[in-house]
Amino acid sequence: MKKFLSRLRKWQRALLLLAVALPIMFCMLNVLFPIPAMPEYSTVVLDDKNEVIHAFLTSDEKWRLKTELHEVSPLLRKTILHKEDKHFYYHPGINPVAMLRALFMNVVSGKRTSGASTITMQVARMLEPRKRTYLSKTIEVFRAFQLELKFSKDEILQLYLNKVPYGSNIEGVKSASVLYFKKNPDHLSLAEITALSIIPNRPSSLKIGERNDLIVTQRNKWLNRFLQDGLFEKSVITDALSEPLAAKRNNIPKLAPHFSYKLKNRTNKNTIPTFLQSQMQQKVEKLVSDYVAQLRSLHIHNAAVVVVDNRTQAVVSYVGSANFYDNTDAGQVNGAAAVRQPGSALKPLIYGLCFDQGIITPKTVLTDVPININGYAPENFDEKFNGYVTVEFALENSLNIPAVKALHEFGTDVFADKLVACGFKQVKLDRKKLGLSMALGGCGVTLEEMTGLYAVFAHEGNYMPLKWVKSSDTSAQAKSILSPSACYMITEVLSKTTRPDLPAGWNGSAHTPRVAWKTGTSYGRRDAWSIGYNQNYTVGVWVGNFSGQGVQELNGASVATPLLFKIFNTIDYNSPAQWYPMPKECGIRLVCTSTGQVPNSFCNSTAMDYFLPLVSSAKVCEHMIEVAVSADEKISYCKNCQPTAGYKQKLFPNTSAEMERYFDENHTVFLRVPPHNPQCEKVFSGNAPQIVFPVNGTEYLISKNKPEPLQLKCNTTSDVKEVYWYINDKLHQKSSVSGSVFFTPNAGVNKVSCTDTKGRTTHITIKVKYVDF
């Protein structure tokens, strides 16, 4: 008895020592041999319905799409656990009873006849593949304990579902589900789940698409076993048994390639949920591809499109080129993200900002005549000038001169700041180099940025960054760029269907969506833009060549706008006929049609105009001036020389010097103020001639071999008919105001002076350098 008790105590001490030593040893081994690295997953891009639209291979060339926990449906969980590990949620990583049973069966039979691997042990084996030996099994047991210590049961099941092999380079339930059944795992039927559950045991021989008959046989065996075990009702099993298996290996979805690569490069997440709408994306991709195919005969090879849902500010369609896989025309270049010149597409923002500053209103009359602002002398697209034009006419017809004048009045630095606030990255980099040419596209922009900018008009002047991915982060705050009233005025102009840039042959109907849009054509006809918006969508279209090759036929109105309207008519056809209401802060007033200002007593033609109360100018119209003239109306008088009798007061158009020159050059008859009284002894000091060319302070480079003279031009008041030109204080030539005068300057500094018949003089200086070219 004493011997027995002694042995018992020894066993107790040994067991106690073992109970203490094992945990210590496990902790040491856990530190020395940590769990292998978790698997790398394929980057997957999801659409707005969480369906896979694009996926990328892992670095080891595997399709390993991560199955998220929410995608593990109760049906999938129930089926897999019953087949692979019924006691998964109750054991610590190993099943001792199953292990002893398997050991006994294998010893008795002399070969491996039964397995005892739990799901946790299978995960350990898949993370660290080894030959099947008893040592490997021991390591698996250790790894199983590690996994159970670190992860929850659901996370271990998720790891199993993500690593289970399906032959070739397919791993994981989601990869198999998408590639074989074109659906997510939470949409699989019982028959499909059962078919997938048997393949990992024999992935080489049970290949879906090649041995479907054998797979169905094995599948039905398990379905009948589920019935015997009472796992599912008989009707459920019966339906599953009768379900055919017509699955085969399909290609992974490759929709929206530019969009997908863009998001993959900007995030390190495996799963990228987006707002992209698959059906819309497919339609837009087809429209772009078919449209560009029609343009190839014109040597125009590419296009890009961005569609934004104005209700959410989310990107719902994105096309970077006509064909991503077309290497001939550089299809993999992302035209939506490429920096290009916008042409006239920034003009709506310029006019909108000027509305908010009270500088102009839609009916304000500007002069579309040749100008030269510090050496910058822009021309219109058609190289013609229109004289007096309203702001709305200038915007409708995309005139350059009025836009440049408006930007000059508003300020280039402030305008650049507004673009930077709207996320224009290249403008931010080039801010110090930008000037008045921005009005005509002299800056770098992307289609993404331009589409986001036009969404400002759709959102009553508020800018919000485009939403690319679904996120709980709502920290981005709206920035006020324009007032709702300014946006409304711009929208009213841009939505007119009588505009000259409406595509030829465009036949609208009652079901055609109403759109406000603006076009743009860059210098050299390299880029054609058309960007439109309504309450539902903002759509940006760019058409051109990635090589930068210009094409004579390329322009926004006739090339880009037809595609814009096709897209709107596809994605927003027969939408509710809603439009932007006039903001309560916006007013309507009567203005003179000659100036767009508040009517004076002599204004006999008026029109209604939008304006911003307490902001827009309240200046009274002065398009006519009262002048004292002789009875025969041949001379005019000032207050100093006005006689006591023999004269009369008469209204004359208050024509500026630049408009008088424009009328004279175009042989347009207009009512002039008669020449001033030649007997007047007053010395005039104001209204001196304005030297238009050459430009003050400019350096001119002239060829030594073929020197060309410089032309002298000036603007004067209507009472001046002749001027005197002086070069370096020496009389050069007497000329009429509109006469052509040339001179050959000396090298170095030259002083140019212009004196009118009233003795008023203007001086400028220029530098001249003779060079070899």
Side-chain angles (χ1 to χ4, degrees):
M1 186 67 178
K2 288 183 178 181
K3 270 187 175 181
F4 175 76
L5 292 174
S6 175
R7 288 178 180 176
L8 182 62
R9 282 194 293 271
K10 286 181 180 180
W11 277 103
Q12 287 176 338
R13 285 196 295 271
L15 290 173
L16 180 62
L17 182 62
L18 188 62
V20 174
L22 282 177
I24 295 175
M25 185 181 298
F26 175 79
C27 291
M28 293 175 61
L29 292 173
N30 189 42
V31 174
L32 294 173
F33 303 99
I35 296 174
M38 290 297 100
E40 174 195 357
Y41 294 108
S42 299
T43 300
V44 177
V45 182
L46 307 179
D47 66 5
D48 62 324
K49 297 179 180 177
N50 293 323
E51 298 291 338
V52 177
I53 58 173
H54 205 103
F56 299 87
L57 286 166
T58 60
S59 59
D60 58 349
E61 300 293 314
K62 299 284 187 181
W63 289 119
R64 192 181 296 120
L65 280 60
K66 186 176 183 180
T67 305
E68 301 292 348
L69 284 172
H70 66 81
E71 294 178 307
V72 182
S73 66
L75 181 64
L76 175 61
R77 185 191 304 268
K78 187 176 182 179
T79 306
I80 294 296
L81 291 182
H82 188 82
K83 180 179 180 297
E84 297 293 331
D85 191 352
K86 297 177 184 178
H87 306 289
F88 174 70
Y89 282 101
Y90 306 103
H91 60 64
I94 64 171
N95 188 335
V97 175
M99 291 184 70
L100 290 174
R101 184 187 69 245
L103 180 62
F104 175 77
M105 295 293 293
N106 293 343
V107 170
V108 170
S109 64
K111 60 181 180 179
R112 185 178 181 273
T113 60
S114 176
S117 294
T118 62
I119 284 179
T120 310
M121 293 172 67
Q122 291 183 60
V123 170
R125 183 166 61 247
M126 288 186 285
L127 290 175
E128 203 172 28
R130 298 174 183 273
K131 290 184 178 180
R132 293 197 173 190
T133 63
Y134 286 107
L135 176 61
S136 297
K137 185 65 68 174
T138 304
I139 295 174
E140 285 177 21
V141 170
F142 169 68
R143 293 299 192 196
F145 285 131
Q146 284 185 301
L147 290 169
E148 292 282 345
L149 185 66
K150 184 173 183 179
F151 299 106
S152 68
K153 285 290 187 178
D154 285 343
E155 289 172 332
I156 293 172
L157 178 60
Q158 183 184 19
L159 273 172
Y160 171 80
L161 294 174
N162 284 321
K163 280 290 292 179
V164 64
Y166 284 96
S168 185
N169 64 339
I170 303 174
E171 289 186 4
V173 169
K174 186 168 185 175
S175 301
S177 178
V178 171
L179 281 164
Y180 292 134
F181 298 106
K182 295 185 177 181
K183 61 178 72 174
N184 285 340
D186 53 344
H187 294 161
L188 292 172
S189 67
L190 175 59
E192 292 167 339
I193 291 172
T194 307
L196 289 180
S197 70
I198 63 175
I199 293 175
N201 299 325
R202 298 163 56 186
S204 299
S205 58
L206 297 177
K207 291 185 178 181
I208 293 183
E210 296 181 12
R211 300 299 304 275
N212 284 8
D213 53 343
L214 182 58
I215 294 172
V216 169
T217 301
Q218 296 298 320
R219 179 199 73 181
N220 291 348
K221 285 182 181 180
W222 274 101
L223 287 172
N224 286 319
R225 188 177 298 181
F226 294 157
L227 180 61
Q228 293 172 6
D229 295 343
L231 188 64
F232 299 104
E233 294 181 0
K234 185 176 181 179
S235 59
V236 176
I237 297 296
T238 301
D239 290 341
L241 288 169
S242 62
E243 185 175 317
L245 180 63
K248 63 178 182 179
R249 176 161 181 170
N250 302 287
N251 293 323
I252 204 76
K254 291 291 183 181
L255 196 63
H258 292 97
F259 178 79
S260 300
Y261 272 98
K262 175 184 178 68
L263 296 186
K264 179 179 182 290
N265 293 333
R266 63 184 286 181
T267 182
N268 56 1
K269 294 182 179 180
N270 302 121
T271 303
I272 307 175
T274 75
F275 300 94
L276 208 76
Q277 298 178 16
S278 296
Q279 290 187 351
M280 180 188 296
Q281 178 69 20
Q282 291 173 349
K283 291 177 182 178
V284 174
E285 284 185 3
K286 184 71 164 54
L287 284 172
V288 172
S289 177
D290 292 348
Y291 187 73
V292 170
Q294 300 171 15
L295 298 178
R296 293 189 190 280
S297 61
L298 301 176
H299 305 292
I300 301 171
H301 299 283
N302 255 303
V305 172
V306 176
V307 181
V308 175
D309 188 331
N310 289 332
R311 293 154 292 195
T312 61
Q313 194 63 0
V315 177
V316 293
S317 184
Y318 187 101
V319 179
S321 71
N323 183 355
F324 180 82
Y325 303 100
D326 182 4
N327 294 325
T328 304
D329 293 319
Q332 294 186 12
V333 172
N334 186 353
V339 176
R340 317 291 296 191
Q341 289 190 336
S344 298
L346 291 175
K347 289 175 181 175
L349 179 62
I350 294 174
Y351 289 124
L353 292 169
C354 288
F355 289 162
D356 279 338
Q357 289 296 309
I359 299 172
I360 54 176
T361 62
K363 288 287 195 300
T364 297
V365 175
L366 305 176
T367 55
D368 179 29
V369 296
I371 58 170
N372 192 311
I373 303 175
N374 299 324
Y376 183 56
E379 293 182 341
N380 287 321
F381 188 76
D382 59 3
E383 300 181 354
K384 298 178 181 179
F385 300 95
N386 298 272
Y388 290 122
V389 296
T390 63
V391 170
E392 60 184 4
F393 180 89
L395 182 54
E396 289 174 20
N397 291 269
S398 198
L399 301 181
N400 291 342
I401 308 303
V404 171
K405 287 183 175 181
L407 179 57
H408 182 60
E409 183 76 13
F410 180 76
T412 55
D413 291 340
V414 185
F415 182 69
D417 289 342
K418 290 289 186 180
L419 292 178
V420 172
C422 292
F424 283 65
K425 295 179 181 178
Q426 193 63 41
V427 171
K428 184 177 181 179
L429 294 175
D430 299 337
R431 187 188 314 202
K432 294 182 180 180
K433 300 184 291 183
L434 299 176
L436 292 174
S437 62
M438 285 189 291
L440 312 183
C443 57
V445 304
T446 68
L447 181 62
E448 297 170 357
E449 295 167 347
M450 292 298 293
T451 308
L453 174 64
Y454 272 70
V456 169
F457 296 107
H459 290 129
E460 297 185 326
N462 294 315
Y463 170 77
M464 284 285 289
L466 298 180
K467 293 181 181 178
W468 300 92
V469 298
K470 295 178 181 178
S471 172
S472 58
D473 182 13
T474 57
S475 58
Q477 298 295 318
K479 299 177 183 177
S480 178
I481 304 299
L482 294 169
S483 69
S485 297
C487 288
Y488 177 76
M489 296 179 199
I490 293 295
T491 300
E492 285 298 288
V493 175
L494 296 183
S495 60
K496 290 182 178 179
T497 56
T498 56
R499 286 169 46 180
D501 55 351
L502 188 70
W506 174 256
N507 295 318
S509 69
H511 303 289
T512 301
R514 186 177 179 184
V515 178
W517 83 99
K518 181 69 182 74
T519 63
T521 306
S522 67
Y523 178 77
R525 296 178 182 261
R526 295 181 175 90
D527 308 279
W529 303 78
S530 191
I531 310 168
Y533 61 92
N534 60 18
Q535 289 188 318
N536 295 329
Y537 299 103
T538 298
V539 179
V541 171
W542 171 88
V543 180
N545 294 309
F546 291 147
S547 64
Q549 176 187 356
V551 179
Q552 182 62 33
E553 293 80 8
L554 189 67
N555 67 76
S558 62
V559 175
T561 302
L563 179 56
L564 175 77
F565 275 69
K566 285 176 181 288
I567 293 171
F568 263 109
N569 217 27
T570 299
I571 67 175
D572 202 33
Y573 185 75
N574 202 23
S575 60
Q578 298 177 343
W579 199 242
Y580 299 96
M582 188 176 77
K584 60 181 181 180
E585 299 85 3
C586 183
I588 299 178
R589 68 182 179 185
L590 199 66
V591 296
C592 175
T593 57
S594 296
T595 59
Q597 297 172 340
V598 177
N600 208 323
S601 57
F602 47 71
C603 297
N604 53 19
S605 177
T606 57
M608 302 305 295
D609 187 22
Y610 296 113
F611 79 111
L612 292 171
L614 304 179
V615 175
S616 300
S617 172
K619 183 179 180 181
V620 177
C621 177
E622 296 177 347
H623 84 277
M624 300 292 287
I625 54 173
E626 191 174 55
V627 180
V629 296
S630 61
D632 58 4
E633 301 182 7
K634 291 186 176 181
I635 61 173
S636 60
Y637 303 104
C638 65
K639 291 183 178 179
N640 284 349
C641 65
Q642 181 176 311
T644 55
Y647 74 95
K648 62 182 179 180
Q649 298 287 345
K650 184 175 180 179
L651 289 174
F652 288 87
N654 189 7
T655 309
S656 63
E658 63 178 6
M659 281 304 300
E660 287 195 355
R661 184 180 186 90
Y662 169 78
F663 287 145
D664 288 339
E665 291 179 348
N666 288 273
H667 309 290
T668 302
V669 178
F670 68 101
L671 185 61
R672 298 175 183 269
V673 175
H676 192 72
N677 179 15
Q679 306 300 321
C680 181
E681 298 179 353
K682 178 184 177 183
V683 177
F684 294 88
S685 58
N687 297 322
Q690 297 177 348
I691 299 177
V692 177
F693 195 85
V695 179
N696 187 32
T698 301
E699 182 177 25
Y700 292 90
L701 302 180
I702 299 178
S703 172
K704 290 181 179 179
N705 301 324
K706 295 181 179 180
E708 294 185 0
L710 297 179
Q711 186 175 11
L712 298 172
K713 287 184 178 182
C714 70
N715 289 333
T716 65
T717 54
S718 60
D719 58 343
V720 175
K721 304 302 177 188
E722 295 179 327
V723 293
Y724 298 85
W725 290 99
Y726 294 83
I727 306 299
N728 296 322
D729 296 325
K730 292 183 178 179
L731 179 64
H732 175 68
Q733 186 175 333
K734 175 184 176 183
S735 167
S736 63
V737 173
S738 59
S740 297
V741 180
F742 295 86
F743 81 106
T744 302
N746 299 323
V749 178
N750 289 259
K751 179 181 178 182
V752 179
S753 306
C754 183
T755 303
D756 64 15
T757 52
K758 304 300 180 184
R760 299 170 293 198
T761 304
T762 299
H763 307 283
I764 66 165
T765 57
I766 61 171
K767 292 183 179 180
V768 174
K769 186 176 181 180
Y770 284 89
V771 295
D772 295 318
F773 63 80

